């Protein structure tokens, strides 16, 4: 039996005592040039992200100045992790939580928050500051009307950067033995950048602050070119902005990198496969920026970046091959025909199917697990039918309860199929969709996959 060399920490009185003091890991097997690259695992906080630190700090400050009274309500606009941190701290302290979240956030975050009893309001992610449905404006308006509520406002709250100046920064310097050449961060609210920037300016002036920013954010162009650009869109969550938050002091940044979503996703996956570290999409952005910085250096340097949160919140996105393909973020062979619209290809094994002898219960479970409304029915690799939710409902609604889902798929499937050849034009999809059907795509007699309305919409969005 192998005995651990680590000394376990003492018993904590509550989960709040476990916030901070996160581990540091040196990465090996990455193309980091002459540099040594380290990641601080903020995913090890009890709430799963770096935002636990600022939640503890901001709630403590609101209690101290009397704005937050016992039994009060904490209101915040959040990409998810700050909300989870506020819930982690606030619920233990007996507060209610109301969070306004943009609609592009991963479902795991929403489910986590609701499991904690948080009131989650989902709003639009396609509008900017000043619009009543913009998540920050909406949160401020709700808090102003709600008795006993405090709008925490991580974007302007001074307790946000203070948390990193007093905890994260000192931890990094101690773990690195006082020798840090650069720290690579992202900006959501700006608290991490500003807090670490303030700390290292005093404690280690040689340490450079480097920004990794999603393509589409306004921050990196402002730092690198002094250019004020119109914000675009990006899929990475939690970092990148369409304005410069009050808590964001860009004067600390010496270098900024614009990282496309495809590079962020690929790098997050690389972190998992090469280092066994499951990080979120923003962690992929930060690591990609750190690797770029390292490869540009002509002298050896010690570089630190952060695993901002756990990747378990992005299993339906970053680590879901179908989602990555739907977003156009995967490297895949393009054929210039209908095959390019198939999100889950048969040849790659991504298409979820059933056999004719499988039970309707099996079909139902596979639909739910894969979040699809129809399944191709294959017999020895040959397409013989299709079963969708309406077929399933019709087959089970009039049967005895003990026989409903024990029927074979063959008894409920549609065997008369309208198919398309992969070489047919895009317009051939429209008559099929008008009949509320899915397009079944073949290459000769070989089944290639299905195309749904959302697949066509995704294709047109990527082409725009």
């Amino acid at each position: 039996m192998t005995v651990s060399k680590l000394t376990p920490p003492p018993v904590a009185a509550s989960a709040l005592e476990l916030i901070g003091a996160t581990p540091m890991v040196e990465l090996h097997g990455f193309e980091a040039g002459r540099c040594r690259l380290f990641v601080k695992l903020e995913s090890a906080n009890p709430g799963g992200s770096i935002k636990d630190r600022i939640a503890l700090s901001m709630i403590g400050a609101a209690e101290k100045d009397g704005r937050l009274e016992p039994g009060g309500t904490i209101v915040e606009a959040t990409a998810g992790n700050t909300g989870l941190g506020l819930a982690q701290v606030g619920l233990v302290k007996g507060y209610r939580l109301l969070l306004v979240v943009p609609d592009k956030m991963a479902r795991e975050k929403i489910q986590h928050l609701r499991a904690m009893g948080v009131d989650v309001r989902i709003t639009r992610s396609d509008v900017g500051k000043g619009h009543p449905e913009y998540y920050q404006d909406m949160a401020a308006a709700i808090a102003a009307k709600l008795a006993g509520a405090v709008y925490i406002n991580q974007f302007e709250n001074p307790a946000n950067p203070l948390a990193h100046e007093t905890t994260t920064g000192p931890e990094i310097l101690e773990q690195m033995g006082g020798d840090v050449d650069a720290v690579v961060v992202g900006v959501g609210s700006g608290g991490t950048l500003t807090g670490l920037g303030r700390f290292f300016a005093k404690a280690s002036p040689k340490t450079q602050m480097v920004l990794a920013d999603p393509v589409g954010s306004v921050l990196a162009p402002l730092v690198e070119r002094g250019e004020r650009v119109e914000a675009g869109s990006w899929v990475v969550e939690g970092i990148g902005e369409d304005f410069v938050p009050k808590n964001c002091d860009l004067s600390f940044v010496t270098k900024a990198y614009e990282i496309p979503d495809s590079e962020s996703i690929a790098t997050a996956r690389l972190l998992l496969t090469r280092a066994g570290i499951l990080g979120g999409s923003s962690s992929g952005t930060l690591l990609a920026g750190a690797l770029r910085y390292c490869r540009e250096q002509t002298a050896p340097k010690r570089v630190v970046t952060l695993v901002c949160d756990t990747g378990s919140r992005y299993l339906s996105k970053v680590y879901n091959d179908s989602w990555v393909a739907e977003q156009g973020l995967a490297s895949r062979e393009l054929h210039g025909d209908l095959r390019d619209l198939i999100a889950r290809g048969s040849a790659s094994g991504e298409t979820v199917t059933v056999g004719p002898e499988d039970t309707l219960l099996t079909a139902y479970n596979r639909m739910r697990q894969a979040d699809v409304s129809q399944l191709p029915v294959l017999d020895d690799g040959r397409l013989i039918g299709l079963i969708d939710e309406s077929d399933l409902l019709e087959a089970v609604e009039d049967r005895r309860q003990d026989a409903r889902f024990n029927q074979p798929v063959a008894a409920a499937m549609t065997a008369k199929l309208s198919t398309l050849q992969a070489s047919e034009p895009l317009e051939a999809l429209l008559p099929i969709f008008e009949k509320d059907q899915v397009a079944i795509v073949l290459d000769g007699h070989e089944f290639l996959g299905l195309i749904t309305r959302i697949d066509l919409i995704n294709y047109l969005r990527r082409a725009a």
Side-chain angles (χ1 to χ4, degrees):
M1 182 178 71
T2 303
V3 179
S4 173
K5 297 178 181 179
L6 300 175
T7 301
V11 175
S14 79
L16 303 188
E17 293 184 2
L18 303 178
I19 295 173
T22 55
M24 184 82 77
V25 176
E26 182 172 4
L27 297 183
H28 301 280
F30 291 79
E31 295 181 14
R34 304 182 67 184
C35 297
R36 293 176 66 184
L37 181 56
F38 304 80
V39 288
K40 187 164 174 60
L41 303 185
E42 290 300 295
S43 53
N45 281 302
S49 88
I50 193 170
K51 299 297 188 177
D52 284 12
R53 294 180 185 266
I54 69 170
L56 188 63
S57 178
M58 293 188 300
I59 289 175
E63 291 172 328
K64 187 175 181 180
D65 64 22
R67 289 182 298 132
L68 186 57
E69 298 180 348
T73 300
I74 297 168
V75 179
E76 180 60 328
T78 171
N81 281 329
T82 298
L84 286 162
L86 290 169
Q88 184 76 33
V89 176
L91 294 177
V92 171
K93 288 175 168 279
Y95 301 114
R96 292 185 294 273
L97 272 292
L98 190 157
L99 303 174
V100 181
V101 179
D103 57 17
K104 77 172 188 176
M105 296 304 108
R107 71 177 66 173
E108 289 89 346
K109 292 181 182 178
I110 306 299
Q111 291 168 338
H112 189 162
L113 287 167
R114 286 180 170 156
M116 298 178 81
V118 174
D119 183 353
V120 180
R121 311 284 177 90
I122 299 176
T123 190
R124 295 168 61 181
S125 59
D126 63 341
V127 293
K129 199 168 178 63
H131 192 285
E133 293 183 75
Y134 184 62
Y135 73 132
Q136 293 171 40
D137 294 274
M138 188 172 171
I142 290 173
K145 297 176 183 177
L146 193 62
V150 174
Y151 177 37
I152 287 290
N153 193 5
Q154 61 179 312
F155 299 91
E156 298 186 9
N157 194 322
N160 173 355
L162 183 64
H164 298 296
E165 184 178 2
T166 57
T167 70
T168 318
E171 287 177 26
I172 290 173
L173 194 61
E174 181 180 353
Q175 288 170 309
M176 296 294 292
D179 186 7
V180 185
D181 293 297
V183 179
V184 183
V185 300
V187 165
S189 65
T192 306
L193 166 65
T194 301
L196 293 181
R198 289 172 181 168
F199 171 77
F200 283 107
K202 298 174 184 176
S204 176
K206 76 164 187 174
T207 303
Q208 294 183 315
M209 298 303 300
V210 178
L211 173 64
D213 203 33
V215 169
S217 170
V218 303
L219 303 176
L222 191 58
V223 170
E224 284 296 300
R225 304 185 294 275
E227 184 180 353
R228 294 187 178 275
V229 302
E230 185 176 342
S233 62
W234 56 94
V235 302
V236 167
E237 297 181 28
I239 59 171
E241 276 300 349
D242 53 6
F243 72 108
V244 181
K246 185 175 180 180
N247 269 336
C248 178
D249 188 346
L250 292 175
S251 68
F252 288 116
V253 180
T254 58
K255 179 69 179 176
Y257 297 94
E258 295 177 80
I259 310 296
D261 286 328
S262 56
E263 186 177 351
S264 295
I265 301 301
T267 308
R269 288 176 161 222
L270 194 65
L271 180 64
L272 177 59
T273 56
R274 289 196 180 172
I277 296 172
L278 183 63
S281 54
S282 61
S283 302
T285 306
L286 268 58
L287 179 56
L291 288 169
R292 288 197 195 185
Y293 175 86
C294 287
R295 289 192 291 266
E296 290 179 0
Q297 304 312 303
T298 57
K301 290 189 176 180
R302 292 159 60 86
V303 180
V304 173
T305 192
L306 308 165
V307 175
C308 312
D309 67 350
T310 171
S312 62
R313 290 175 181 157
Y314 306 87
L315 297 178
S316 65
K317 287 190 169 187
V318 175
Y319 299 98
N320 179 344
D321 290 341
S322 297
W323 181 87
V324 173
E326 288 168 2
Q327 299 299 314
L329 301 174
S331 297
R332 58 183 295 188
E333 181 184 0
L334 297 179
H335 300 86
D337 58 27
L338 292 181
R339 279 175 287 189
D340 297 341
L341 280 74
I342 298 172
R344 305 183 186 203
S346 177
S348 61
E350 295 174 332
T351 303
V352 182
T353 67
V354 286
E357 302 305 318
D358 287 328
T359 66
L360 295 185
L361 180 60
T362 296
Y364 167 78
N365 286 336
R366 290 183 186 175
M367 284 183 190
R368 299 282 66 77
Q369 184 179 35
D371 197 19
V372 296
S373 301
Q374 62 284 311
L375 299 172
V377 183
L378 300 185
D379 187 12
D380 196 23
R382 183 172 58 91
L383 179 70
I384 63 169
L386 188 77
I387 183 167
D388 64 17
E389 291 173 332
S390 60
D391 297 324
L392 192 59
L393 179 59
E394 184 178 348
V396 302
E397 63 180 345
D398 293 328
R399 291 298 185 106
R400 298 189 324 271
Q401 187 169 356
D402 61 344
R404 285 176 177 169
F405 287 93
N406 290 328
Q407 301 172 75
V409 166
M413 72 181 190
T414 300
K416 188 176 180 180
L417 303 175
S418 299
T419 61
L420 293 176
Q421 289 295 316
S423 58
E424 295 190 51
L426 204 67
E427 292 74 20
L429 295 169
L430 301 181
I432 293 175
F433 294 155
E434 288 171 359
K435 298 175 186 177
D436 286 331
Q437 297 176 350
V438 296
I440 302 167
V441 184
L442 305 178
D443 182 13
H445 296 291
E446 180 187 357
F447 170 64
L448 299 180
L450 304 178
I451 299 176
T452 66
R453 286 186 181 89
I454 195 64
D455 294 329
L456 175 58
I457 293 169
N458 283 333
Y459 175 80
L460 294 174
R461 178 180 58 80
R462 295 195 302 268

